[in-house]
Amino acid sequence: MESAAMPRSVVTYPRVPCSLQTLGCNLLLRTSKATKPPRLSCRATGGRVDRRDVLLGLGGAAAGLATTHPGALAAPIQADLQNCQTPDIPATAADPSCCMTYRAGTSIADFQLPPASSPLRVRPAAQLADKEYLAKYEKAVALMKKLPDDDPRSFVQQARVHCAYCNGAYDQVGFPGLEIQVHNCWFFFPWHRLYTYFHERILGKLIGDDSFALPFWNWDAPGGMTLPAIYANKSSPLYDERRSPAHQPPSLLDLDFSDTDPNMPRDQQTDQNLKFMYRQMVSSAKKRELFLGQPYRTGDAPDPGAGSLENVPHGPLHGWVGDPRQPNGEDMGNFYSAGRDPVFFALHSNIDRLWHVWRGLSPSNTDFTDPDWLDASFLFYDEEARLVRARVRDCLDTAALRYTYQDVGLPWLNAKPTKTAGTPVPATGALPAKLDKTVRVAVTRPRVSRSQKQKAEEEEVLVVEGIKIADHSRYVKFDVYVNQCEGGAGTAAAECAGSMALTPHVIRHNNKKAGSVKTVARFGITDLLDEIGADGDKTITVSLVPRCAGDVVTVGGVSIEYVK
Ligand code: C2O
């Protein structure tokens, strides 16, 4: 990470090694270039497309992949853009659609990296942005908001992109009726990287500045733990009135927000936030699926399971910013409307930055190499309003994408949670159960007291499976503890393995199981067990503590798995 002007107050934070970059970009090696992009026609205008042609045409790299997932069609996941179905958006919605502008016959270009000689965009921390930068950023957003709604680069369209990929507007190519969902799975990081990448370039283009960079909301550092002031100015185009009035600056952020404000002293809240960051970035994120999320391949049902950071603090951040006076926590508190708030892009810039940081924390923190991940493709409009197909493999190297982040240090890197003194509460419950109250179950560990080498090779993972959410129009959160003590210290204690925190979606109306979600939550607990001194125990007590909307959640079971 390159450093731009660094403020004095943060220079003592631990930092990540400079040799962060892991995967280079394979764009130039792609063999699919010879494949002609197909011309899609729009169903609404009476055109017809053979789905198989679309599948083969879009999935140029498909041929070699048939063995990776027997039974599924060969191509990695793609969206069926010609066939957009707007979800059941509330009557109160500011924009009644969820579909990206799409015209029959629009050709799709393969993503190309920007020239290596183009300026490197340095994303500044929002709390450190200067006046000159702010003026440019505000001007760019104002211009974007002024574009006609049907211009693919307009602010309205930008918000629709998120709604479309996150609220089930598109089917998977080749699987009519099976929605595409980029959350709760391994596409969370790459999809949002591409989304913010194109958004940033459109903003830069509108002000004629090819070095323009989005800011990042540095919520993982004490200096960034409020809503950034630049978004709170009522006369700025960065302002959104549909935000929580209680969480305007200087109100301090709770990275584990569970719908009520804890009102603890600022120092203590800050300290807790750093502990959550340590847990989500380090101790519970030791294997790629634990950080990036679970595999999600062609033909799979959505929501196989989120990675650590997507659950916390990503879920709580959405809920914390969203406006509780609105029916669905709009704008940020619901995926259908989240892209309407400019702060969304700053929140996700930091998510993106932390993906980059995570790779540098340990040699074992590497991306997936599975072609079903690397070759999955998504469609976006670029700064020239061209429809572009970008693959996950296109976006893995931020230097090749010509952007980087201001170096502000990692204040959470040593913020390891500590054990609570006391006696663990015994297990008295059984699963499956509804989470309308705390459920404590005994879980048997197949292996105890493994060697350091075994622990490094295979992470012990607590799997909370068969999670069913009957109504996902509400923010759902529950916390998971191992051997929680009497009187229970909170989620910042070492006994807490983490939380499942899902930002609500509005699900489309023609889906038979409207609004319901099935998913699995996984927590790396090797360090946790060492820290609480339970690594020799054959049986542990796992507590599932509902925090938000537990009455709509049921859990099937809890077990231990080992992940390489
Ligand atoms: Cu697509 Cu923060 O969500």
Side-chain angles (χ1 to χ4, degrees):
M1 233 179 265
E2 289 166 55
S3 62
M6 193 195 314
R8 238 158 216 290
S9 58
V10 294
V11 289
T12 54
Y13 294 154
R15 29 202 90 247
V16 116
C18 284
S19 54
L20 269 175
Q21 218 51 65
T22 51
L23 278 171
C25 180
N26 295 326
L27 182 78
L28 299 174
L29 302 176
R30 264 168 48 194
T31 52
S32 59
K33 281 226 170 142
T35 312
K36 259 202 179 160
R39 301 215 150 218
L40 298 186
S41 56
C42 182
R43 175 181 275 190
T45 60
R48 290 194 71 89
V49 160
D50 182 331
R51 279 176 187 274
R52 284 164 304 171
D53 289 345
V54 176
L55 178 71
L56 294 173
L58 289 180
L65 306 180
T67 53
T68 58
H69 191 52
L73 277 175
I77 274 182
Q78 299 151 26
D80 186 354
L81 208 65
Q82 55 166 339
N83 196 3
C84 181
Q85 303 169 59
T86 282
D88 207 1
I89 286 179
T92 46
D95 175 18
S97 178
C98 203
C99 297
M100 289 157 71
T101 288
Y102 179 73
R103 289 192 190 90
T106 302
S107 64
I108 301 170
D110 273 334
F111 178 82
Q112 301 286 341
L113 284 174
S117 60
S118 49
L120 188 68
R121 299 166 194 253
V122 182
R123 296 185 179 176
Q127 79 274 17
L128 303 174
D130 60 24
K131 276 214 177 83
E132 195 194 334
Y133 170 80
L134 180 60
K136 277 200 280 190
Y137 181 32
E138 289 186 334
K139 184 174 169 204
V141 172
L143 288 170
M144 186 181 257
K145 286 184 166 177
K146 266 190 213 133
L147 290 172
D149 284 1
D150 66 347
D151 185 313
R153 302 162 306 161
S154 72
F155 198 76
V156 165
Q157 289 293 330
Q158 292 291 298
R160 285 191 190 173
V161 174
H162 194 260
C163 186
Y165 278 108
C166 312
N167 291 75
Y170 297 133
D171 285 345
Q172 293 183 27
V173 168
F175 291 84
L178 194 56
E179 68 164 87
I180 291 243
Q181 172 54 261
V182 296
H183 299 89
N184 301 321
C185 71
W186 66 2
F187 294 133
F188 175 72
F189 286 95
W191 187 88
H192 287 84
R193 169 168 293 176
L194 288 165
Y195 181 38
T196 47
Y197 171 82
F198 288 111
H199 186 76
E200 173 174 83
R201 295 178 70 89
I202 295 169
L203 289 171
K205 180 83 185 181
L206 290 169
I207 53 168
D209 179 351
D210 61 1
S211 68
F212 174 78
L214 279 169
F216 66 94
W217 178 4
N218 188 197
W219 35 255
D220 60 309
M225 288 179 189
T226 63
L227 183 80
I230 59 173
Y231 294 93
N233 169 6
K234 285 194 177 157
S235 51
S236 165
L238 307 180
Y239 185 73
D240 181 346
E241 59 186 8
R242 299 203 296 179
R243 290 186 191 137
S244 172
H247 297 154
Q248 298 299 306
S251 164
L252 195 70
L253 187 55
D254 173 10
L255 288 183
D256 194 50
F257 182 62
S258 308
D259 263 357
T260 46
D261 290 317
N263 289 322
M264 62 178 73
R266 287 182 89 86
D267 285 3
Q268 199 184 329
Q269 180 71 66
T270 302
D271 180 61
Q272 284 209 3
N273 285 343
L274 296 176
K275 288 183 167 138
F276 300 137
M277 286 309 304
Y278 176 90
R279 186 185 68 207
Q280 302 306 93
M281 289 293 294
V282 183
S283 53
S284 74
K286 293 198 170 162
K287 300 292 168 195
R288 52 191 165 201
E289 41 275 88
L290 295 174
F291 182 74
L292 293 169
Q294 291 297 307
Y296 173 44
R297 301 184 171 92
T298 305
D300 288 351
D303 305 307
S308 55
L309 208 64
E310 182 180 354
N311 269 316
V312 174
H314 171 255
L317 277 162
H318 271 276
W320 190 83
V321 179
D323 185 351
R325 299 165 301 183
Q326 306 300 326
N328 302 287
E330 289 94 342
D331 285 321
M332 283 288 277
N334 196 297
F335 282 152
Y336 94 83
S337 50
R340 295 185 66 86
D341 188 335
V343 84
F344 174 97
F345 297 93
L347 187 165
H348 272 278
S349 260
N350 202 36
I351 293 271
D352 186 71
R353 167 181 165 260
L354 291 171
W355 176 16
H356 188 80
V357 164
W358 173 79
R359 288 167 172 171
L361 293 178
S362 151
S364 60
N365 290 358
T366 56
D367 292 330
F368 292 102
T369 53
D370 189 326
D372 285 330
W373 190 67
L374 290 170
D375 291 318
S377 60
F378 302 100
L379 298 171
F380 294 93
Y381 284 99
D382 71 3
E383 64 275 19
E384 309 293 346
R386 282 179 306 221
L387 190 54
V388 172
R389 175 176 60 256
R391 289 162 209 255
V392 168
R393 67 163 76 249
D394 296 334
C395 77
L396 298 177
D397 180 353
T398 53
L401 294 170
R402 305 303 299 145
Y403 75 87
T404 187
Y405 290 96
Q406 178 180 13
D407 187 350
V408 289
L410 306 173
W412 41 263
L413 205 50
N414 298 314
K416 194 173 177 185
T418 49
K419 177 179 163 30
T420 313
T423 327
V425 192
T428 48
L431 292 172
K434 193 180 203 178
L435 284 195
D436 49 359
K437 56 178 182 321
T438 295
V439 178
R440 296 186 209 280
V441 292
V443 177
T444 306
R445 294 172 61 218
R447 299 184 233 160
V448 299
S449 308
R450 296 182 300 148
S451 69
Q452 284 311 322
K453 187 164 175 278
Q454 288 168 324
K455 286 178 182 173
E457 276 166 12
E458 286 190 322
E459 174 69 6
E460 184 161 350
V461 176
L462 188 65
V463 186
V464 182
E465 55 220 330
I467 302 169
K468 287 191 198 137
I469 300 162
D471 167 14
H472 198 19
S473 63
R474 293 163 69 192
Y475 174 44
V476 169
K477 182 171 184 284
F478 64 85
D479 303 334
V480 179
Y481 290 83
V482 175
N483 296 354
Q484 190 185 26
C485 293
E486 219 61 80
T491 38
E495 303 83 56
C496 186
S499 310
M500 202 200 67
L502 282 186
T503 305
H505 308 35
V506 173
I507 307 288
R508 73 177 185 225
H509 47 98
N510 65 348
N511 185 331
K512 285 190 203 77
K513 288 164 262 140
S516 71
V517 166
K518 280 189 201 157
T519 190
V520 179
R522 288 178 166 80
F523 306 95
I525 57 166
T526 302
D527 280 7
L528 180 156
L529 291 165
D530 281 339
E531 181 64 29
I532 67 170
D535 188 39
D537 300 356
K538 189 81 191 131
T539 305
I540 51 176
T541 299
V542 173
S543 303
L544 307 175
V545 182
R547 301 296 297 279
C548 307
D551 56 311
V552 297
V553 181
T554 54
V555 171
V558 179
S559 62
I560 299 285
E561 238 174 38
Y562 297 87
V563 173
K564 277 209 172 46

